[in-house]
Amino acid sequence: MKPYDITVIGAGSGGLVVAAAAAQLGARVALVEKDRMGGECLNTGCVPSKALVHAARTVRTAAGAARFCAAPPELRLDYGRVADYIRSAIAAIEPHDSAERFRSLGCDVVMGAARFVSDREIEVEGRRIESRSFVVATGSSPLVPDIEGLRGLDVLTNENVFELRELPPSLVVLGAGPVAVELGQAMARLGSKVTILQRSAHILSREDRDVRLKMEEILRAEGLDIITGAALRRFEADGPAKVVFYERDGEERSLRADALLCALGRVPNTGGLDLHAAGVDFDEKGITVDERLRTSRPHIYACGDVTGPYRFTHMAAYQAGVIVRNAVFRLPAKVDYRTVPWVIFTDPEAARVGMTEEQARAADPKVRVYSFPFKDNDRAVTDDSTGGFVKLLCNGRGHIMGAHIVGPHAGELLAQITLAMRTGLTVDDIAATIHPYPTLSEAVKQAASLRMKSSLTPLRKKILKFLFRLHGED
């Protein structure tokens, strides 16, 4: 049989983009998936988690109706309906990622686990597939570390938490990254007693210091118990409950809960691929690639969580586009990670692009920081969403080195800042752009406008005052 032009291993976000684009451009494409089409994003990641976040936000909003209703109705949560809503969201998006759709685009969809036989051939359930090039897009899985007693318990991860039909009365979340705080806040809003255990001094350790502190303040105010500086030691079962033993300040302590959610990171899915047979280099962090996303075998590419460095759906899709330009068009396209945006979908959201303040100051000690609070934005006031801020980090010429937003729809507001960074625009360009009133987007403009205001030194104010006086005498 004639070799395929491209064989994609993994039908998640990155793999689907490569397969669809290559097939529509006329390439002969094989798409291999061992589990479910759509990968983690559709089935156990972005889609179900955001559906859960929406359900929790809706319940919280309804509970707040007492401010405007003389006798608000009594709310009794039916978590089974929440689970049904999550499934309906997946089902609504599922056809776009289905095997039928990709077959209609011209792909040969092969279900089964793939392993390399050589650098030009793989085997899937006994079938040999030869290809001129390959793309490995097998994603990642939740890390469940080898801590005494943990793996023997019925532990929740993002792979099974959305299968729950009943809300656990109490929940301990291990870790305090984006998945931990998103799901922890959602479960707490739905009525679970949530405790977050974090080894470091703050939650969201990769984020800007102001973001970490603000999100801790918000989550604690909602009733989540956040324990930092906690080193996990061992786990035990106590009937159906789970007991966590941890060390803090040199003292061993324990927590008992109905359920454990492990959100301690992710590991790349390289097992079973027999990458050695293809001569592809990899380690515990994933498959090694160059700027063109080529592995140690130039005709074998990798993208998404299996290679990193940013484990986001939109990053996998971006990397997939780079691979298409290289593998199909034969253009020397390279990745550019200077303006990678990401969002933590708590309520309010926390969004970021570029450097933290700590990183920016290390790169440029004269970095300028412009921060504007949502409490001074008129739309945020009318929407009763005044918690948070827009924070811009700039060099002396006004070019943005980083931006951080904690507030309503922060992910949507981040786009104009990312575009400005990508195209070399300055905060002055944002400040000079007309923004509709009253909108949350004005908060970005209001933060950008602080650069001009800060330039009005006492001397400049005196000069302007003198000029205005001269103008008045004409």
Side-chain angles (χ1 to χ4, degrees), residues 49 114 177 290 301 334 378 409 415 417:
S49 66
D290 63 13
Y301 299 82
K334 298 180 179 180
D378 292 355
H409 304 290
I417 303 173

Side-chain angles (χ1 to χ4, degrees), residues 220-233:
R220 290 185 193 277
E222 290 194 13
L224 282 82
D225 190 10
I226 300 174
I227 302 175
T228 57
L232 301 175
R233 292 300 179 226

Side-chain angles (χ1 to χ4, degrees), residues 31 367 387 403 438 467:
L31 175 60
V367 63
L467 292 173

Side-chain angles (χ1 to χ4, degrees), residues 372 374 376-380 382-383 413 416 434-446:
F372 186 86
F374 275 103
D376 292 335
N377 173 266
D378 292 355
R379 182 57 184 270
T382 64
D383 290 355
L413 300 180
Q416 66 169 309
I434 300 172
H435 289 63
Y437 174 89
T439 62
L440 297 170
S441 67
E442 279 191 302
V444 177
K445 175 177 180 174
Q446 288 163 313

Side-chain angles (χ1 to χ4, degrees), residues 150-425:
L150 179 59
R151 293 182 178 177
L153 296 178
D154 182 16
V155 177
L156 295 172
T157 69
N158 76 293
E159 290 188 340
N160 59 10
V161 68
F162 303 112
E163 298 172 3
L164 293 177
R165 298 292 301 179
E166 295 183 3
L167 181 74
S170 58
L171 175 70
V172 169
V173 181
L174 309 178
V179 173
V181 297
E182 285 179 18
L183 298 185
Q185 184 190 44
M187 291 294 196
R189 287 183 164 191
L190 293 171
S192 185
K193 173 58 181 173
V194 175
T195 302
I196 292 177
L197 280 179
Q198 168 72 342
R199 186 182 183 92
S200 63
H202 294 284
I203 66 172
L204 301 173
S205 56
R206 293 181 63 189
E207 304 305 316
D208 185 88
R209 181 177 183 275
D210 289 340
V211 173
R212 299 195 300 264
L213 295 177
K214 174 54 70 173
M215 290 308 306
E216 280 188 22
E217 175 189 323
I218 290 169
L219 295 176
R220 290 185 193 277
E222 290 194 13
L224 282 82
D225 190 10
I226 300 174
I227 302 175
T228 57
L232 301 175
R233 292 300 179 226
R234 69 183 192 280
F235 296 82
E236 293 179 2
D238 182 10
K242 287 82 178 172
V243 183
V244 184
F245 294 88
Y246 65 97
E247 184 177 318
R248 188 168 188 263
D249 298 329
E251 177 184 344
E252 185 174 89
R253 311 181 188 194
S254 66
L255 275 173
R256 185 180 185 278
D258 296 288
L260 288 178
L261 173 63
C262 188
L264 292 169
R266 303 188 66 79
V267 292
N269 292 332
T270 55
L273 288 172
D274 283 353
L275 293 170
H276 290 301
V280 173
D281 294 339
F282 68 100
D283 57 24
E284 68 280 356
K285 295 181 181 179
I287 296 175
T288 304
V289 294
D290 63 13
E291 291 180 321
R292 295 172 63 182
L293 299 176
R294 299 175 300 183
T295 69
S296 49
R297 289 291 184 266
H299 62 285
I300 301 178
Y301 299 82
C303 69
D305 284 12
V306 76
T307 186
Y310 300 98
R311 289 181 171 142
F312 311 130
T313 294
H314 53 278
M315 177 50 62
Y318 165 73
Q319 291 176 329
V322 173
I323 289 177
V324 169
R325 292 196 292 277
N326 278 290
V328 178
F329 292 107
R330 306 296 178 182
L331 298 173
K334 298 180 179 180
V335 292
D336 182 355
Y337 296 139
R338 290 176 298 176
T339 55
V340 178
W342 66 80
V343 184
I344 300 167
F345 292 94
T346 45
D347 183 19
E349 295 173 355
R352 168 188 174 180
V353 61
M355 299 180 181
T356 64
E357 183 175 344
E358 297 93 326
Q359 293 167 340
R361 289 198 182 282
D364 181 358
K366 295 182 179 180
V367 63
R368 275 75 165 175
V369 180
Y370 306 110
S371 186
F372 186 86
F374 275 103
K375 68 181 179 62
D376 292 335
N377 173 266
D378 292 355
R379 182 57 184 270
V381 172
T382 64
D383 290 355
D384 193 23
S385 300
T386 54
F389 54 84
V390 176
K391 179 177 179 179
L392 304 177
L393 310 170
C394 307
N395 63 19
R397 299 182 301 279
H399 289 104
I400 304 170
M401 302 172 68
H404 306 270
I405 306 176
V406 175
H409 304 290
E412 310 294 340
L413 300 180
L414 190 69
Q416 66 169 309
I417 303 173
T418 305
L419 179 62
M421 293 178 66
R422 174 78 174 144
T423 56
L425 298 177

